Structure formats: structure tokens, C-alpha cells
Amino acid sequence: MPTNATGSVTVSGKTVAGLKFNMTPGDCLNTAGPTALTLSGWAGRETNAPAKLDLAYAWTEKDVLLSGSAQYATTKEKVDASMKLNVTGTTSDRCGAAFTFTPTRADLTGTLDIPSHKTELNVYLRDLSNLEFSEKAMSAPNALDRIGGTVNAALSFNGKAVVTAFGPLADGNDMDLQPGDQVKFRYVKSGKLVETDFRTAEKDLQEIANPRR
């Protein structure tokens, strides 16, 4: 399998697009995926390309990293999008039958920037516990019931928070046995600040995003 590759598109003798791919296969590509890879592409022209795409992935002993960015620009406007995911944890027996990944924290950030509209998403999970990714753990009934940790998240638009979420991930004192029901959501509805749980927030935000005409 190729670990380094390049490609291009030529029209009338002019190169109008290009692609580069690099991969570190590692010892168990067929079962757990590559150790690292990068992918970058451009279109229009290579220098100051109006359209660009970059992706990067790596699985180290302590982290799983994934990031990406895309850009499209004209002479008057530009659109940018980016995301980054960093999951810290412990990997054991990556290439064996007892493969296990136990995360302890995760950071997810993302932005979408179009003219006059900028959206930002930040999600931080901390002190994760009783969460394991393995064949045995994921095939167990209600695999996420005992998860512990906290979440702190925010969705912002043009620098102002639209929705925030915070609280423990562990199941509360109710009878539904669903983790995360203690997480609180804050947002503005009909000019008033609302603080509620996920079920109510999901319903309210759907109504806000899709108002009846």
C-alpha cells in the first residue's frame, strides 16, 4: 500500500488542482487503522489557492488527534471552516484481540467563518471515567450507563453565546438510567434566559431553528 502519493489535474497544459497524501501505516493498519496520515489538496492555482483542504490524523500512545480545515476564496469574499479533536487516553494491545482505548478527556473545537457570519463550537470533556472502547465493553448492554466526568460546551455566533452546556455526565437520581441528564443547557428563548435539561433544550432549539410560518 502506498504511504506517499501525489496527484494533479492538468487542463490545456496548466495544472489546476493538486493532491498530496502521506501515511504512517503502523503495525496493524488492517485492524486499528494507520498511526498517522495527512491529506492536502488545492484547486485553482497552487500559490494562494482559492480552494484548499487539509486533513491530519494521528494515534499516539496517549492521544488521538484529528484536525481539518477548508477554505474557498474569491476576489471579494472568503469562507473558512476548521475543526480539531484531541482525545487523551490510554491505548493497550492496539494490534491484538484485546484492543482497548480508555479516554480520560477530550477537546473539540470548530469554526465556520463566512462573510458577516462566524460560528464557533467548543466542547470540553474532563475527568472521564468508566468509559472504554473495546469489543467487550461496547457489546455490553447499556455500555455508557456508568460514564463519569464533566462537560463544558458552547456554541457561539458572531462572538455571542447561543447555547452553553455544563455539568456532570453521570446519570442523575431519576429512573431513566441515562447518562448526561444532569447537564444543564442555557440559551435565550423569546427574550428570556432559559436553563433546562437536554430534552427540553432539544425541543426548544428545534422550534427556534424552524419557526412556524
Side-chain angles (χ1 to χ4, degrees):
M1 176 173 289
T3 56
N4 294 278
T6 60
S8 61
V9 177
T10 302
V11 177
S12 301
K14 181 180 179 180
T15 302
V16 295
L19 184 70
K20 293 182 180 180
F21 171 80
N22 295 279
M23 180 176 67
T24 303
D27 297 326
C28 44
L29 178 63
N30 293 335
T31 56
T35 299
L37 66 82
T38 60
L39 177 69
S40 62
W42 60 270
R45 59 182 180 275
E46 186 170 9
T47 302
N48 295 322
K52 297 191 296 183
L53 172 67
D54 292 286
L55 297 173
Y57 164 84
W59 192 324
T60 70
E61 290 297 320
K62 296 183 178 181
D63 299 274
V64 178
L65 309 169
L66 176 65
S67 64
S69 64
Q71 175 184 295
Y72 177 74
T74 67
T75 56
K76 295 182 178 180
E77 297 180 338
K78 183 171 71 171
V79 176
D80 279 301
S82 66
M83 64 81 60
K84 184 177 181 180
L85 174 64
N86 184 350
V87 183
T88 300
T90 303
T91 301
S92 62
D93 198 30
R94 175 170 175 158
C95 298
F99 162 76
T100 302
F101 178 64
T102 306
T104 56
R105 62 178 285 172
D107 298 351
L108 171 65
T109 60
T111 63
L112 175 61
D113 194 352
I114 61 179
S116 302
H117 298 82
K118 184 174 183 178
T119 303
E120 297 180 78
L121 174 65
N122 297 281
V123 180
Y124 305 107
L125 304 179
R126 295 290 183 269
D127 303 318
L128 294 174
S129 61
N130 299 320
L131 179 59
E132 177 183 295
F133 293 96
S134 65
E135 183 178 358
K136 180 180 179 180
M138 289 295 100
S139 61
N142 304 316
L144 301 179
D145 276 1
R146 297 178 59 246
I147 185 175
T150 61
V151 60
N152 194 324
L155 176 66
S156 302
F157 181 72
N158 285 347
K160 296 182 179 180
V162 177
V163 183
T164 60
F166 55 93
L169 294 172
D171 181 31
N173 296 321
D174 53 20
M175 301 299 294
D176 63 7
L177 301 179
Q178 294 296 318
D181 54 12
Q182 298 182 82
V183 175
K184 298 299 183 183
F185 289 77
R186 284 180 182 167
Y187 51 91
V188 174
K189 180 183 178 182
S190 301
K192 296 182 179 180
L193 180 64
V194 176
E195 181 175 314
T196 186
D197 59 15
F198 172 74
R199 290 185 180 87
T200 303
E202 182 182 30
K203 180 181 178 181
D204 283 350
L205 294 173
Q206 286 178 348
E207 293 177 356
I208 294 171
N210 301 287
R212 295 180 180 179
R213 295 182 178 179

